[in-house]
Each structure stands twice: as structure tokens, then as C-alpha cells.
Amino acid sequence: MTHDSTDLVASTAPPDVVRRQYLASAAGDLAALRATLAPDVEWTEMAGFPLAGTYRTPEGVTSNVMEKLGQDWTGWIAHDDTYVVDGENVVVLARYTAVNKATGEPIDVRVAHHFVVRGGLIVRFEQFVDTALVRDAMND
């Protein structure tokens, strides 16, 4: 998939919508990130993850997930590398990198994300990650 940035911004194709979410997150642009989420989005952080739970609404997602990650970690980025697309389902293999502010411990953890995209918006997200590696960095 090669797109210039104009194509990516305008596209409602599921992988393009998901890619915009990663780019917005990495840039810390929460308004652009919220623009990728449906009003009734269900965003689930995995059980055992520090922010475990299901969050609803674009504002609920950014305030309960992205803003909290920014409070606890320096340079939190989800690096998306492989996309597996089946209709409205987009599975992304990625990795998280960051440094915990309290302990100074870095993480570099593999992760899988499952997105469901309808009408050009993310309606559902589920995270799969080795939560022990993240918790270990927080409890040095």
C-alpha cells in the first residue's frame, strides 16, 4: 500500500483509518486520534495491562488510555509494522516502546491489535500484549 499523505487522510479504507490512528497517537495529536474513532467506539485494553478495561466514546478513550500513558511513560509509541486485513477487520502486529517515568525502566514489547472499522471509523479495538513485561517495567 503506497499512498501519499493526502490519499491517507481522505481514505475510509479500514487499514488507512487504522494507520491514521497510529500516526496521530505517535504524534500526540489526540484530536486527530479521536477523529478516527466512532462516537460509540468500544476500546478494550487487555486484562492485566495497567489500564485494563473497556472505554467508550472518543474522549473516554483518549482521557483514560493515551493521556494516562503519557503521565506514566516517556515516549510511549505503538510501532505498527504488519497489517492483516479481512474486510472491516484489521489486525496489526506492532510493538510498544517507552520508558517508565517512575522506574526509568524501558520496554520493547510485541503486541497485536484488532480493530473493526465501519463507515471510515474505528468502532471496536482489542489489545493483546504480554502484560507482565509492561508491569515489570513499572515495578523495578
Side-chain angles (χ1 to χ4, degrees):
M1 262 191 303
T2 56
H3 296 298
D4 68 31
S5 60
T6 307
D7 290 341
L8 182 64
V9 169
S11 174
T12 59
D16 293 341
V17 173
V18 168
R19 177 71 179 139
R20 282 199 304 272
Q21 179 275 147
Y22 283 104
L23 291 171
S25 179
D29 187 343
L30 298 185
L33 194 153
R34 285 190 291 271
T36 67
L37 304 177
D40 59 347
V41 65
E42 289 188 7
W43 186 281
T44 301
E45 298 285 316
M46 189 167 178
F49 191 69
L51 304 175
T54 298
Y55 305 98
R56 291 175 175 79
T57 78
E59 294 75 17
V61 171
T62 55
S63 65
N64 288 294
V65 180
M66 291 75 187
E67 290 179 18
K68 288 201 179 355
L69 288 172
Q71 291 168 8
D72 296 337
W73 300 85
T74 300
W76 183 279
I77 296 181
H79 306 267
D80 52 325
D81 55 52
T82 302
Y83 283 60
V84 181
V85 182
D86 181 14
E88 66 184 14
N89 292 285
V90 180
V91 174
V92 180
L93 305 180
R95 63 188 172 87
Y96 293 147
T97 59
V99 175
N100 186 265
K101 289 181 180 178
T103 65
E105 287 295 313
I107 59 165
D108 187 341
V109 181
R110 290 296 285 164
V111 60
H113 292 153
H114 174 216
F115 295 87
V116 178
V117 181
R118 284 190 200 119
L121 295 171
I122 296 164
V123 297
R124 200 160 56 243
F125 165 88
E126 187 175 8
Q127 172 202 57
F128 300 89
V129 63
D130 185 339
T131 57
L133 291 176
V134 176
R135 283 196 322 272
D136 287 352
M138 297 176 75
N139 300 314
D140 183 39

